[in-house]
Amino acid sequence: MKYIVFVALIGVTIAAPQGPTTEPVPILRQEQEVNFDGSYKWNYETGNSITAEEQGFLKNAGQPEQEAQVAQGQYKYTSPEGQVIELSYIADENGFQPVGAHLPTPPPIPAAIQKALDYLASLPSTESPQRR
């Protein structure tokens, strides 16, 4: 349920007028489908070139310990600076996983540090068994 509220907030934020405007932005296309098995899909397109779509389903339905809501979608809009922002995502038991060219990425690991990490990973474990 928290995820659905989060997605709704993102949709409202994205659909908000971009920049100073007093005219309402028309919705050119909007569809939604909710099925009895818990699966759903929705999409919309606005007059200021915002598009969004998502589909989801309940993974491992009927197995309470393994159930997980899965949602996958994408949206696109133009930033106030004129840059087209495109983001695709999946949200499941592993959390929200966005992908987009505008998202920051970590710098590569320097070769010397990677070599040290590889060496440390190759060493046998020195942990002693737990005492009773």
Side-chain angles (χ1 to χ4, degrees):
M1 186 64 178
K2 291 179 185 178
Y3 173 74
I4 293 172
V5 171
F6 175 74
V7 170
L9 287 174
I10 287 176
V12 168
T13 303
I14 292 171
Q18 303 293 316
T21 182
T22 57
E23 292 183 33
V25 177
I27 297 174
L28 305 177
R29 178 179 53 86
Q30 180 180 13
E31 300 172 17
Q32 57 256 10
E33 177 183 320
V34 179
N35 301 310
F36 289 108
D37 64 356
S39 64
Y40 67 92
K41 62 182 174 179
W42 55 259
N43 62 62
Y44 64 84
E45 179 180 359
T46 66
N48 59 352
S49 302
I50 296 173
T51 61
E53 63 182 59
E54 180 177 289
Q55 58 188 13
F57 63 94
L58 185 60
K59 186 180 199 179
N60 298 321
Q63 302 172 25
E65 296 298 319
Q66 298 177 346
E67 281 185 345
Q69 181 69 39
V70 177
Q72 183 174 337
Q74 59 187 0
Y75 58 85
K76 180 172 91 169
Y77 66 96
T78 303
S79 74
E81 296 80 26
Q83 178 184 8
V84 175
I85 304 294
E86 294 184 58
L87 185 123
S88 60
Y89 60 89
I90 186 165
D92 57 15
E93 67 272 13
N94 298 313
F96 183 72
Q97 303 158 53
V99 176
H102 67 288
L103 297 176
T105 57
I109 298 174
I113 293 175
Q114 185 61 55
K115 184 177 178 180
L117 290 172
D118 292 342
Y119 172 73
L120 291 173
S122 71
L123 295 176
S125 176
T126 59
E127 293 180 13
S128 60
Q130 291 182 346
R131 294 183 182 174
R132 294 180 190 201

